């Protein structure tokens, strides 16, 4: 699975949009981009995933560049409860669920 | 959504004893589950793939005789840390795959 690179930390003001970048320049055509987050001392929580098209759900939006070498997770209106470590993972269906987690981005939402 | 439950959420054990951690998929069947370990201020590290009805597949560097995995049913995988030592103290997390990969809430193991 392709390696992903994320900034180590990011601050965001409550109520503002949080844009979390992820670089996956070696991603292959059959690898999906998944985003999970981990609130302190809990198991990771699924946020969103995509292959080529942009995706949106009740939690977030995922923007994938046309060349698929990078993506951005958008939390439209950050709340204090969004403070967590956010992980971007590239994975194929062959290794479904077998995630190689990187360091992720520590997002701190401040009042 | 699908739920994966781990038990216990916290455990303290004495050095040299064994500890069993259970991972259950509550509303779906999972032929494959995964076990991760997370040390403080670090990311999750995949330990092994648990396959229902067959032997687990361990990642490089993970001792299969120390971390025993049993996946006897489609809804239950167990991880037993044998002869635990303080360096085994960690946060252990399981996941099970349905339409997506769902994670348990984790088990905090402290070996004293």
């Amino acid at each position: 699975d392709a390696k992903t690179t994320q900034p180590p930390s990011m601050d965001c003001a409550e109520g503002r949009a949080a844009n979390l970048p992820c670089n996956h320049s070696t991603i292959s055509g059959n690898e999906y981009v998944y985003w999970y987050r981990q609130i302190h001392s809990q198991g990771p929580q699924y946020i969103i995933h995509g292959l080529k098209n942009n995706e949106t759900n009740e939690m977030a939006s995922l923007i994938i560049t046309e060349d698929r070498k990078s993506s951005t997770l958008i939390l439209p209106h950050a709340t204090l409860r969004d403070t967590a470590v956010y992980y971007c993972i590239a994975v194929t269906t062959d290794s479904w669920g077998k995630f190689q987690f990187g360091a992720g981005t520590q997002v701190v939402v401040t009042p | 959504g699908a739920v994966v439950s781990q038990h216990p959420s916290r455990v303290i054990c004495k050095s040299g004893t064994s500890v069993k951690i259970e991972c259950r998929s509550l509303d779906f069947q999972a032929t494959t589950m995964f076990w991760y370990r997370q040390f403080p201020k670090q990311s999750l590290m995949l330990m092994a793939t648990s396959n229902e009805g067959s032997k687990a597949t361990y990642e490089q560097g993970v001792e299969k005789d120390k971390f025993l995995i049993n996946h006897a049913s489609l809804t239950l995988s167990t991880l037993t840390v044998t002869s635990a030592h303080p360096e085994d103290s960690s946060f252990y997390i399981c996941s099970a795959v349905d339409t997506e990969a769902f994670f348990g809430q984790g088990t905090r193991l402290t070996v004293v």
Side-chain angles (χ1 to χ4, degrees):
Chain A
D1 296 333
K3 183 182 175 190
T4 60
T5 305
Q6 299 175 251
S9 64
M10 176 179 295
D11 292 337
C12 178
E14 187 178 21
R16 306 294 287 269
N19 296 315
L20 282 63
C22 179
N23 182 286
H24 31 79
S25 58
T26 62
I27 196 168
S28 59
N30 63 343
E31 285 186 291
Y32 288 77
V33 178
Y34 270 76
W35 283 83
Y36 279 78
R37 72 180 182 184
Q38 185 180 25
I39 295 169
H40 184 60
S41 292
Q42 297 182 25
Q45 176 190 23
Y46 168 79
I47 302 173
I48 200 167
H49 75 280
L51 183 62
K52 288 191 284 189
N53 298 324
N54 298 337
E55 303 287 346
T56 296
N57 63 19
E58 64 277 5
M59 289 183 69
S61 295
L62 174 61
I63 308 298
I64 303 174
T65 58
E66 194 168 339
D67 62 8
R68 301 188 70 238
K69 293 186 177 181
S70 66
S71 61
T72 300
L73 178 74
I74 301 172
L75 307 177
H77 304 286
T79 71
L80 299 180
R81 289 180 294 179
D82 291 323
T83 292
V85 178
Y86 287 75
Y87 296 101
C88 167
I89 306 164
V91 63
T92 66
T93 53
D94 289 342
S95 49
W96 195 245
K98 189 176 177 180
F99 294 142
Q100 301 293 341
F101 285 86
T105 296
Q106 171 69 66
V107 173
V108 176
V109 181
T110 54
Chain B
V3 178
V4 173
S5 177
Q6 270 184 254
H7 179 80
S9 57
R10 293 174 189 274
V11 59
I12 301 172
C13 71
K14 291 185 178 180
S15 188
T17 62
S18 295
V19 174
K20 180 185 286 188
I21 302 170
E22 294 185 345
C23 179
R24 294 181 185 273
S25 56
L26 296 185
D27 53 1
F28 66 99
Q29 294 182 330
T31 55
T32 304
M33 293 185 178
F34 301 91
W35 287 95
Y36 296 82
R37 179 169 54 182
Q38 185 175 32
F39 292 109
K41 298 189 186 303
Q42 294 186 23
S43 187
L44 287 80
M45 184 187 76
L46 180 66
M47 297 176 68
T49 302
S50 173
N51 303 299
E52 189 269 334
S54 64
K55 291 183 178 180
T57 305
Y58 291 82
E59 296 298 302
Q60 191 173 6
V62 177
E63 300 174 61
K64 64 177 192 278
D65 295 329
K66 182 169 184 61
F67 298 100
L68 301 180
I69 292 172
N70 184 280
H71 195 152
S73 79
L74 287 171
T75 59
L76 174 64
S77 174
T78 60
L79 169 68
T80 301
V81 182
T82 63
S83 187
H85 288 98
E87 57 265 30
D88 298 322
S89 298
S90 189
F91 192 53
Y92 292 86
I93 307 168
C94 71
S95 74
V97 178
D98 185 31
T99 52
E100 304 300 341
F102 299 97
F103 287 82
Q105 69 269 43
T107 297
R108 176 77 58 193
L109 170 63
T110 303
V111 185
V112 297

